[in-house]
């Protein structure tokens, strides 16, 4: 999971490459590098371990000669520690060829042996250098960059997107992909390549996704796509819906701060155009057919991390509304349990990036066994939606901070829309109930705006708690996955031990963790809408308070029952039982961000993480 950019054209190549890397730094940020073919026809390169800024500083202090063909890479290390030498590009063949790579070349050991026998040497510990050396070797043997490239990619196994430049072909970038993403950007007298459209959206809105096992050649004048045998394949161009400025910080201190404030828009834009005459109509689902929707006997939601918690929230609603059993499976566990899949099984994947390898493999597995698949995704042209039977895009806009925030609320929104449409088709909710739930969805953006006003109060709380070693989160029903999400946000951003529990599970073990002063966030259900579980959660609060917990309750406006037992109460506006969690998660997002900030941590790029996890 690295970020890749390629450019051929008349602009200042270094600016295009660094801009593309900046917008893709969320994909990996332990080292970065660039290579270009200079106006003298030579390859020049620079690479540095550390964040992109280290590379920027390097090329500012020691500028490369100008050129019009270049490739750039931001790395999330797999083979070989993050270091200057392991960073990409790898320049081989006496400095004539440079290559960058996203993924893992699984047969690198065998290729390495072969190359050592042929007399080649290696500088780094990476699988990528092995691939580059093989490529250089084959180019030398065949005497042709294109032929050697095609032969090399046919040898690679595993997951890879590779981009290569050669000084004998000064206006050409060759690229290939297998199980890793690659998109093309079309310009006027210039063309681009990227891991995703963010790489070039500031220059062009015309794009096409490169299909599985395809190779691409770009020059300033043309783009040619073939399969791995060299047979041309058609290019399916699309218009990028994102505005370039949407992937800038826009004056906010961090992408995460900006993206949390975009929660209301993420919901509004995901609902927009999908409610017609008081009914939910997701045109993208029409391909499934109403008959199939009536016949589905089971829905399996597959996702990882935050997306899986969105799935857990959605599962409660879809099952209740559409009366179909719904279960949530972590994508990486799904295939290995030999799940029962029939033609009446619908597998819905949830993925912000649309590139998460675990989820992609789960989708492919489900399709091979005859399930219908729907992709809930935030990234146009990504692999998972392209391979699924139907796509419901969340319109949250680009999410750059590694920790997911606005995409989470957009995913829940999309799942609710799907649940309501299925309920309409299956006749399991009457018109009044449909209308009530639609009204709740449409009211959410305004209520989310209100929740955002709690920011200063939460910042203060986070400052007080900045040296806390552990935080617990409790919730019940749809509040349970919100507790899990609150804990995940705190772990990944503030590096604090955090656990989420179902409040009812407390007395089955976790209550032993409660000691004097232990902070516990409790997502309190509505006393109006969920009276029964509300009183049970209030009892849970009393139980932990009696054992010394410091309770921070997230409760709806006017809920007085929590006041005697909570040390702090964060108020959220009134909403229906399925809709309160979407409001309750926002204070938890803000808390994690503020606490990380109070600890002086980088909230956009937490250690060890990358946003798109494109390896298994
Ligand atoms: O792109 P995806 O939605 O498939 O990503 C899934 C998870 O990797 C992602 O949600 C991860 O858990 C985030 N770091 C959460 O903030």
């Amino acid at each position: 999971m690295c970020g890749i950019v390629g450019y051929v054209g008349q602009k200042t190549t270094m600016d295009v490459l660094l801009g593309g890397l900046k917008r893709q730094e969320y994909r990996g940020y332990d080292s970065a590098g660039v290579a270009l073919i200079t106006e003298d026809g030579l390859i020049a390169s620079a690479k540095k371990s550390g964040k992109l800024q280290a590379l920027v500083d390097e090329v500012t202090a020691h500028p490369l000669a100008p050129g019009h063909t270049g490739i750039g890479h931001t790395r999330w290390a797999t083979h070989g520690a993050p270091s200057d030498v392991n960073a990409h590009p790898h320049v081989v063949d006496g400095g004539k060829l440079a290559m960058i790579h996203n993924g893992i070349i699984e047969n690198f050991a065998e290729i390495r042996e072969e190359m050592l026998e042929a007399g080649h040497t290696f500088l780094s510990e990476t699988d990528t250098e092995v691939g580059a050396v093989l490529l250089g070797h084959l180019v030398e043997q065949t005497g042709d960059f294109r032929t050697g490239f095609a032969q090399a990619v046919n040898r690679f196994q595993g997951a890879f997107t590779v981009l290569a430049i050669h000084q004998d072909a000064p206006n050409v970038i060759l690229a290939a992909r297998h199980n890793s993403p690659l998109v093309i950007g079309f310009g006027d007298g210039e063309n681009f390549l990227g891991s995703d459209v963010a790489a070039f959206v500031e220059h062009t809105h015309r794009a096409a996704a490169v299909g599985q096992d395809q190779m691409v050649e770009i020059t300033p004048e043309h783009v040619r796509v073939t399969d791995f045998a060299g047979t041309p394949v058609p290019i399916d161009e699309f218009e990028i819906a994102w505005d370039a400025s949407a992937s800038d910080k826009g004056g906010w201190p961090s992408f995460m701060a900006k993206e949390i404030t975009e929660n209301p828009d993420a919901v509004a834009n995901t609902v927009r155009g999908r409610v017609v005459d008081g009914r939910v109509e997701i045109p993208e689902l029409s391909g499934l057919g109403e008959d199939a929707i009536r016949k589905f006997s089971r829905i399996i939601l597959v996702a990882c991390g935050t997306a899986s918690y969105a799935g857990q929230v959605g599962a409660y609603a879809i099952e209740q509304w559409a009366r179909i059993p719904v279960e949530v499976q972590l994508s990486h566990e799904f295939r290995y349990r030999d799940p029962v899949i029939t033609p009446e099984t619908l597998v819905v994947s949830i993925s912000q990036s649309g590139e998460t390898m675990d989820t992609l493999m789960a989708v492919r597995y489900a399709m091979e066994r005859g399930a219908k698949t729907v992709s809930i995704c935030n990234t146009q042209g990504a692999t998972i939606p392209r391979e699924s039977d139907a796509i419901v895009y969340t319109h949250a806009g680009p999410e750059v901070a590694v920790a997911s925030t606005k995409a989470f609320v957009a995913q829940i929104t999309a799942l609710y829309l799907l649940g309501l449409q299925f309920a309409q088709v299956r006749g399991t909710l009457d018109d009044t109930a449909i209308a009530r739930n639609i009204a709740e969805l449409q009211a959410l953006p305004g209520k989310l705006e209100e929740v955002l006003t709690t920011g200063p109060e939460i910042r203060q709380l986070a400052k007080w708690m900045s040296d806390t070693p552990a935080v617990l989160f409790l919730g019940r029903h749809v509040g349970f996955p919100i507790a899990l999400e609150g804990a995940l946000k705190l772990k990944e951003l503030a590096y604090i031990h955090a656990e989420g529990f179902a409040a009812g599970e407390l007395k089955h073990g976790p209550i032993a963790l409660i000691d004097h002063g232990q902070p516990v966030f409790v997502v309190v259900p509505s006393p109006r809408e969920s009276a029964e579980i509300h009183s049970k959660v209030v009892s849970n609060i009393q139980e932990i308070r009696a054992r010394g917990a410091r309770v921070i309750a997230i409760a709806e406006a006017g809920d007085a029952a929590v006041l005697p037992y909570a040390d702090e109460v964060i108020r959220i506006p009134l909403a229906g039982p399925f809709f309160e969690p979407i409001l309750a998660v926002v204070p938890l997002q803000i808390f994690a961000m503020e606490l990380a900030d109070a600890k002086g941590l980088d909230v956009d790029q937490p250690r060890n993480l990358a946003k798109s996890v494109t390896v298994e």
Side-chain angles (χ1 to χ4, degrees), residues 505-526:
E505 191 65 8
L506 202 63
K507 52 192 167 302
H508 300 285
I511 199 164
L513 291 168
I514 305 295
D515 202 354
H516 186 71
Q518 170 63 55
V520 184
F521 278 83
V522 185
V523 180
V524 184
S526 162

Side-chain angles (χ1 to χ4, degrees), residues 304-307 350-353 356 402-404 411 488-489 492 613:
C304 300
T306 288
I350 310 159
S351 175
Q352 187 287 132
S353 62
T356 299
V402 166
S404 189
Q411 286 161 347
L488 177 61
K489 286 285 92 80
E492 63 182 341
V613 185

Side-chain angles (χ1 to χ4, degrees), residues 93-94 96-97 120 134-145 148 166 168:
D93 200 10
K96 286 191 266 178
L97 184 150
H120 296 284
L134 173 71
L135 172 57
H137 179 80
L138 292 171
V139 173
E140 284 295 310
Q141 268 195 344
T142 60
D144 180 57
F145 181 33
H166 195 288
D168 290 350

